[in-house]
Amino acid sequence: MPEIRPFKGLRYDPETAGDMGSIICPPYDIIPPTIQQELYGSSEYNAVRLELPKEDDPYGAAAGRLVQWMQDGVLMQDDKPALYPYYQTYTDPEGNTYTRKGFFCALRLHEFSEKKVLPHERTLSGPKKDRLNLFKRTQANISSIFGLYADEKLQADKAIEEFAVTHDPEVDAVFRGVRNRLWKMTDPDVIATVQQVLLDRQVYIADGHHRYETGVNYRNLRSEENHSHTGDEPYNFILIYLANIFDEGLIIFPLHRMVHSLGRFSPEGLIDTLSTHFEVKPLGGRGELKHYLESESSSHVYGVVTSEGIWGIKLKDSPETLLGDSVPAPLLQLSVVVLHELILHRVLGITPEAMCSQTNLVYEEDDRQVFDAVEQGGIQVGFVVKATTVQQVLDISGEGEVMPQKSTYFYPKIMTGMVMHKL
């Protein structure tokens, strides 16, 4: 693993800023304008005002606030370097409760080619330009990337858990049903244990690919400008939340696909075409579809939801036979890859460019919303998919491949405002 370090976190002072439940916010890329406005109204210090300001000059607004809030005591920088254990307790759509456990640290930045940090998704130039402007103006990591590591013996987890159960959290805040707890851990022996356990392990990026690549670009810019560059400056590191893939609270939700605005679309015609390569089974409703997907061991099974009916479909042939060399072999195990290439592209005629820009495609993590959207008439067809597994993420990253966008949905998102990292 790249070097991880404790750092002097920049945090809200609840005595000055107020209730942390009204201050933390999701990462920028899942905040639509309606939620942005709602967050603005929740507190004058809400982290969205740093993460995704709505002013005409958002980067200048964020930089100005950061300085002002530090002067006013709204934000404070810890006086000792620390690791910050972060636990999120949540309930899934089926009513099961989990606690995902991990910690914030500063991670040394490396190019992907060095194979110390591995991506699993493609990135786009627009978001990277946006985040680079924010990095430059604020000289801070406002929000964290989300990384995974593999420690089957849970050695680091146990050391952190022993600390957490014997100390009160610095933050204990509920945001939209998710409980967020943060501790500050400065004990050098515990920190050394965590560093030693993770020393020879790779980091797999679960979420925050754009921010990670931006961190590398920002480091390169700063190092070129700094004639005294040593490699130990804070800009050589990035704020990351690390979780163990063997943590029982680590869950990936599926991201379902909803198609709209296609010309000459026919539910009956779609099902007839799909029957060439798929076994097609009519189903009675959401409950039957859920049971169908859970009972099938194959990754290449889907639910098809239209105004005319619901079907379960299962690929008849191997994906290698149908897609050949058009898709790298490691990616063929993914449900969404076959869906995108075989159904969305070849059958429905949606180009890869249209998928990237979401011209005809909407993503939704809750399958109930898929049924509702089809019933309301705004969506022509919904495809309910199985979740990508953590092992698939590791396998594909390890092979040097990247998944299509929206292949994974790690829930819950890492909240912005729990702790920040000055560069």
Side-chain angles (χ1 to χ4, degrees):
M1 179 179 279
E3 178 187 359
I4 63 169
R5 286 187 178 181
F7 66 102
K8 296 179 181 179
L10 183 64
R11 299 186 293 114
Y12 282 95
D13 181 356
E15 295 293 324
T16 306
D19 174 34
M20 286 296 293
S22 65
I23 288 174
I24 56 178
C25 75
Y28 74 102
D29 54 348
I30 60 166
I31 302 178
T34 53
I35 301 300
Q36 181 189 39
Q37 184 62 43
E38 188 179 312
L39 292 166
Y40 257 73
S42 68
S43 169
E44 63 180 311
Y45 301 124
N46 189 280
V48 75
R49 297 171 184 260
L50 303 174
E51 172 80 339
L52 190 67
K54 64 179 184 178
E55 284 78 9
D56 291 338
D57 177 12
Y59 314 111
R65 286 192 183 109
L66 197 65
V67 172
Q68 189 63 53
W69 291 356
M70 290 181 69
Q71 291 176 351
D72 295 344
V74 175
L75 291 172
M76 57 184 182
Q77 187 164 20
D78 288 327
D79 57 357
K80 292 182 179 180
L83 299 182
Y84 296 86
Y86 177 37
Y87 290 6
Q88 291 177 289
T89 301
Y90 63 97
T91 302
D92 72 10
E94 306 306 321
N96 304 304
T97 299
Y98 302 90
T99 296
R100 187 177 65 205
K101 301 175 180 180
F103 64 96
F104 290 108
C105 64
L107 176 80
R108 182 174 289 279
L109 289 156
H110 287 273
E111 302 284 350
F112 289 145
S113 60
E114 297 177 66
K115 302 295 184 183
K116 295 193 174 189
V117 178
L118 300 177
H120 79 269
E121 286 189 352
R122 294 184 177 90
T123 56
L124 304 173
S125 59
K128 286 187 284 190
K129 181 180 178 181
D130 164 62
R131 291 297 97 178
L132 184 58
N133 286 332
L134 187 66
F135 278 36
K136 287 178 176 179
R137 295 296 295 274
T138 63
Q139 296 188 12
N141 298 144
I142 304 300
S143 59
S144 169
I145 64 172
F146 179 0
L148 302 173
Y149 65 91
D151 172 22
E152 192 167 7
K153 295 181 180 179
L154 307 177
Q155 299 168 86
D157 305 62
K158 291 173 182 175
I160 292 171
E161 176 74 1
E162 288 176 6
F163 175 87
V165 298
T166 55
H167 294 78
D168 292 330
E170 301 287 330
V171 177
D172 191 344
V174 176
F175 180 87
R176 300 197 171 190
V178 177
R179 185 184 182 189
N180 298 269
R181 287 175 290 165
L182 181 86
W183 288 261
K184 181 176 68 173
M185 191 171 71
T186 58
D187 186 316
D189 291 334
V190 181
I191 291 173
T193 296
V194 173
Q195 289 175 310
Q196 185 61 39
V197 167
L198 302 185
L199 191 60
D200 297 322
R201 304 176 195 276
Q202 290 175 304
V203 171
Y204 303 85
I205 297 181
D207 210 354
H209 290 78
H210 292 97
R211 278 162 284 175
Y212 184 86
E213 290 189 35
T214 299
V216 172
N217 292 336
Y218 181 76
R219 177 204 63 187
N220 294 343
L221 288 172
R222 290 291 300 274
S223 63
E224 289 172 4
E225 297 167 352
N226 181 6
H227 299 301
S228 304
H229 175 79
T230 65
D232 279 332
E233 297 85 356
Y235 60 73
N236 294 285
F237 296 80
I238 194 165
L239 176 64
I240 187 170
Y241 164 83
L242 289 173
N244 191 350
I245 67 165
F246 296 101
D247 174 35
E248 293 180 353
L250 178 66
I251 305 292
I252 302 179
F253 284 1
L255 268 174
H256 311 296
R257 273 59 174 163
M258 301 191 297
V259 175
H260 63 90
S261 306
L262 293 179
R264 301 179 182 177
F265 175 78
S266 163
E268 297 87 351
L270 172 63
I271 295 302
D272 286 343
T273 304
L274 290 177
S275 65
T276 303
H277 296 301
F278 292 87
E279 298 173 6
V280 177
K281 181 178 181 179
L283 300 171
R286 177 175 175 265
E288 279 193 31
L289 175 56
K290 183 174 182 296
H291 176 73
Y292 171 81
L293 293 175
E294 290 176 348
S295 63
E296 292 286 350
S297 59
S298 169
S299 295
H300 305 111
V301 292
Y302 312 87
V304 182
V305 183
T306 76
S307 58
E308 300 298 322
I310 302 163
W311 293 267
I313 62 171
K314 178 181 177 181
L315 195 64
K316 294 178 182 177
D317 302 312
S318 71
E320 291 85 355
T321 301
L322 295 174
L323 300 179
D325 296 332
S326 63
V327 176
L331 296 181
L332 292 174
Q333 63 179 299
L334 288 181
S335 168
V336 294
V337 167
V338 173
L339 172 63
H340 278 222
E341 181 64 27
L342 190 59
I343 300 178
L344 298 183
H345 185 198
R346 299 188 185 183
V347 174
L348 294 178
I350 304 175
T351 65
E353 294 75 22
M355 292 183 209
C356 283
S357 62
Q358 299 185 35
T359 304
N360 301 102
L361 203 57
V362 178
Y363 300 91
E364 174 57 54
E365 65 266 21
D366 189 342
D367 68 310
R368 289 169 293 195
Q369 296 297 325
V370 176
F371 282 85
D372 290 345
V374 170
E375 184 178 345
Q376 292 164 10
I379 296 298
Q380 293 166 309
V381 56
F383 294 97
V384 179
V385 302
K386 283 188 169 185
T388 300
T389 67
V390 174
Q391 191 58 52
Q392 287 173 332
V393 172
L394 302 189
D395 290 345
I396 289 168
S397 299
E399 291 286 341
E401 299 291 348
V402 289
M403 301 178 184
Q405 282 191 302
K406 308 294 185 182
S407 295
T408 57
Y409 187 82
F410 287 89
Y411 182 86
K413 293 293 184 179
I414 307 302
M415 288 291 102
T416 301
M418 299 297 292
V419 65
M420 291 171 271
H421 175 231
K422 286 184 63 63
L423 300 172

